[in-house]
């Protein structure tokens, strides 16, 4: 198992978004590494920045609804910041989300 984890870590460090997501799952579940929600979220964020849509949706959800297990409260500013960043990285889903947030902001005066 350690050889597999080492391979995943090596790929994750080269900005392989899928490997980063896989490593995040390992940390979240404690598979082959010491369980750590904080490290899992760190790798989820890296995977999102590198184009993993599942990770992008997780990050957006974390700041939109909060993730109590991670100690993350809903945070409008971080939500908009991440949606903007991820939409600039080419995520179609995040472009739509950013447009929705922008529309909400304009119409509700946030």
């Amino acid at each position: 198992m350690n050889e597999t984890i080492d391979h995943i870590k090596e790929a994750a460090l080269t900005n392989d978004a899928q490997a980063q997501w896989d490593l995040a799952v390992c940390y979240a579940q404690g598979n082959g590494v010491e369980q750590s929600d904080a490290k899992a979220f760190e790798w989820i964020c890296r995977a999102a920045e590198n184009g993993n849509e599942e990770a992008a949706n997780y990050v957006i959800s974390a700041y939109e609804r909060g993730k109590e297990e991670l100690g993350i409260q809903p945070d409008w500013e971080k939500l908009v910041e991440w949606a903007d960043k991820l939409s600039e990285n080419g995520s179609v889903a995040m472009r739509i989300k950013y447009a929705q947030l922008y529309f909400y902001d304009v119409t509700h005066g946030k």
Side-chain angles (χ1 to χ4, degrees), residues 41-42 44-50 55-56 59-60 63 75-89 94 98 101:
F41 191 64
E42 176 186 328
I44 289 169
C45 290
R46 288 183 182 194
E49 289 176 321
N50 286 304
V59 171
I60 291 300
Y63 290 119
D75 187 321
W76 176 264
E77 289 181 17
K78 285 188 179 186
L79 172 61
V80 171
E81 176 186 321
W82 272 95
D84 182 38
K85 179 190 311 190
L86 297 173
S87 69
E88 286 180 3
N89 285 351
M94 290 308 116
Y98 186 69
L101 293 170

Side-chain angles (χ1 to χ4, degrees), residues 9 12 17-31 33-49 52 54-56 58-59 62-63 67 69-70 72 82:
K9 283 182 180 179
Q18 185 59 52
Q20 291 171 331
W21 175 257
D22 293 343
L23 187 56
V25 171
C26 289
Y27 276 111
Q29 297 175 351
N31 292 334
V33 294
E34 185 175 333
Q35 194 283 333
S36 171
D37 291 333
K39 284 185 180 182
F41 191 64
E42 176 186 328
W43 284 106
I44 289 169
C45 290
R46 288 183 182 194
E49 289 176 321
N52 183 293
E54 194 169 5
Y58 189 94
V59 171
Y63 290 119
K67 293 285 183 190
E69 67 276 13
L70 298 174
I72 297 173
W82 272 95

